[in-house]
Amino acid sequence: MVSIIVHGGAGTFRNEERIPKVIAGVREAVLAGWRELKRGSALDAVEEAVKALEDNPLFNAGTGSVLTLDGKVEMDAAIMRGKTLDAGAVAGIWGVKNPISVARKVMEKTDHVLLIGEGAVKFARLLGFGEYDPITEERLKQWGELRKKLIEKGETWHWKKLNELIKEYPEVLRSTVGAVAFDGEEVVAGTSTGGVFLKMFGRVGDTPIIGGGTYANEVAGASCTGLGEVAIKLALAKTATDFVGLGMDAQAASEAAISLATKYFGVDTMGIIMVDAKGNVGFAKNTKHMSYAFMKDGMEEPEAGV
Ligand code: ASP
């Protein structure tokens, strides 16, 4: 049994008109991954699916990444192989089109797991990744509006306020992407994001933290989305795979992981997708929406929703 699931981020769509477009985006991405999976590699499938989402400006990863408090793009991404525990990640990277592919190169070409900031950009250039500006007009406009709201409230700096901000302006949390696949031999997980709107310069979320937002081992893989600080504090992606190790399937483990997030940090904080090494898929969220799509052996068409 082979399978793949993708997500396009947890949060709330205030403008429900976006929903059909987002569903079309996750469907397209899961099909891109599925084509690779049929050729035999969960690793290629996850990279292709995440690249498709990074290249779609609707999602907050690669092109269309959200902006920091000071108006810059600092992207995070990670990829992990369940069989070997090989992992690669980049944090606070800019000026590249596909952070997930740079993360894969960190895994394959270096002895390290995580490269950050300028070092990550330098590494990408050494490996031949060309200069690319992922900032879109739409994100610039949203950044301006959100920042204005903050300033009007007299809060130019939201020290200790990200959680409240998300409750008031759900659009702060937006459309991170991820994919998890099983090729019959191994589970692979990958995640990519621009982070959270108006995040502090230098802030790194859960996405590139192995075990936090992204994890895969011999029993399962997980990709998280939501308030990154929550997933980091709960080591949520690793915890979710541990639930599979204890006997749950991917769906039960996803629900258990989200219950944990809700118990400690409340609702509107987290979403997760998983695949286990039997090929079961799972997904759960405590936010209003989380776009997802999956394909398994025997399915003619992806199942997708929010
Ligand atoms: N988890 C991401 C972060 O905190 C954001 C998201 O999933 O939307 O960077």
Side-chain angles (χ1 to χ4, degrees):
M1 164 81 93
V2 305
S3 54
I4 179 166
I5 184 165
V6 305
H7 70 73
T12 303
F13 291 107
R14 275 211 171 147
N15 176 358
E16 301 217 340
E17 278 166 23
R18 284 177 81 90
I19 292 178
K21 288 187 202 149
V22 165
I23 290 181
V26 286
R27 276 176 61 94
E28 193 187 306
V30 86
L31 286 171
W34 184 248
R35 282 192 290 276
E36 288 301 328
L37 202 54
K38 283 286 158 189
R39 288 191 197 115
S41 164
L43 180 61
D44 291 341
V46 164
E47 184 184 2
E48 279 313 305
V50 172
K51 273 172 73 178
L53 292 161
E54 286 178 337
D55 291 345
N56 185 334
L58 276 181
F59 298 97
N60 166 25
T63 306
S65 285
V66 301
L67 307 185
T68 61
L69 204 51
D70 54 350
K72 305 226 165 72
V73 155
E74 295 180 1
M75 300 174 287
D76 302 335
I79 194 159
M80 183 165 190
R81 305 186 68 155
K83 236 181 162 177
T84 54
L85 302 185
D86 283 340
V90 288
I93 194 170
W94 63 84
V96 295
K97 188 162 187 252
N98 294 111
I100 194 73
S101 300
V102 185
R104 179 169 175 178
K105 292 291 184 203
V106 173
M107 174 173 82
E108 291 177 342
K109 303 281 184 203
T110 81
D111 296 322
H112 310 306
V113 169
L114 174 60
L115 298 181
I116 62 160
E118 227 170 280
V121 177
K122 200 165 162 186
F123 170 77
R125 298 285 177 258
L126 280 173
L127 272 283
F129 290 90
E131 289 223 19
Y132 181 81
D133 181 5
I135 299 181
T136 61
E137 283 299 316
E138 193 190 351
R139 289 297 191 230
L140 260 181
K141 192 166 154 253
Q142 288 164 344
W143 174 80
E145 286 163 5
L146 278 168
R147 201 159 181 277
K148 194 157 156 259
K149 285 184 192 167
L150 260 189
I151 292 167
E152 274 165 9
K153 284 176 67 196
E155 294 173 13
T156 323
W157 308 99
H158 57 72
W159 312 105
K160 275 278 193 194
K161 291 258 171 64
L162 204 50
N163 223 337
E164 285 167 38
L165 260 185
I166 288 166
K167 294 220 153 58
E168 205 168 333
Y169 309 115
E171 56 271 46
V172 167
L173 203 65
R174 194 186 269 277
S175 312
T176 285
V177 308
V180 190
F182 177 61
D183 58 20
E185 292 285 320
E186 107 172 306
V187 182
V188 176
T191 318
S192 182
T193 188
V196 182
F197 240 127
L198 301 182
K199 66 184 181 179
M200 203 71 69
F201 28 82
R203 176 264 194 191
V204 174
D206 57 318
T207 298
I209 306 298
I210 298 303
T214 308
Y215 198 74
N217 60 17
E218 71 281 12
V219 296
S223 168
C224 298
T225 169
L227 185 54
E229 284 72 7
V230 166
I232 292 173
K233 288 171 186 170
L234 291 169
L236 201 63
K238 170 67 163 68
T239 301
T241 63
D242 288 344
F243 290 146
V244 175
L246 292 170
M248 293 183 193
D249 65 17
Q251 184 56 37
S254 299
E255 287 168 18
I258 294 304
S259 297
L260 208 59
T262 309
K263 177 180 161 199
Y264 284 97
F265 299 100
V267 295
D268 286 328
T269 52
M270 260 298 130
I272 192 168
I273 55 168
M274 295 187 75
V275 170
D276 64 38
K278 291 187 178 128
N280 299 306
V281 300
F283 56 98
K285 62 178 191 302
N286 66 16
T287 50
K288 189 163 176 212
H289 302 118
M290 178 180 74
S291 55
Y292 67 88
F294 65 85
M295 278 292 279
K296 294 196 281 192
D297 272 334
M299 289 172 67
E300 298 276 307
E301 282 291 312
E303 188 176 317
V306 289

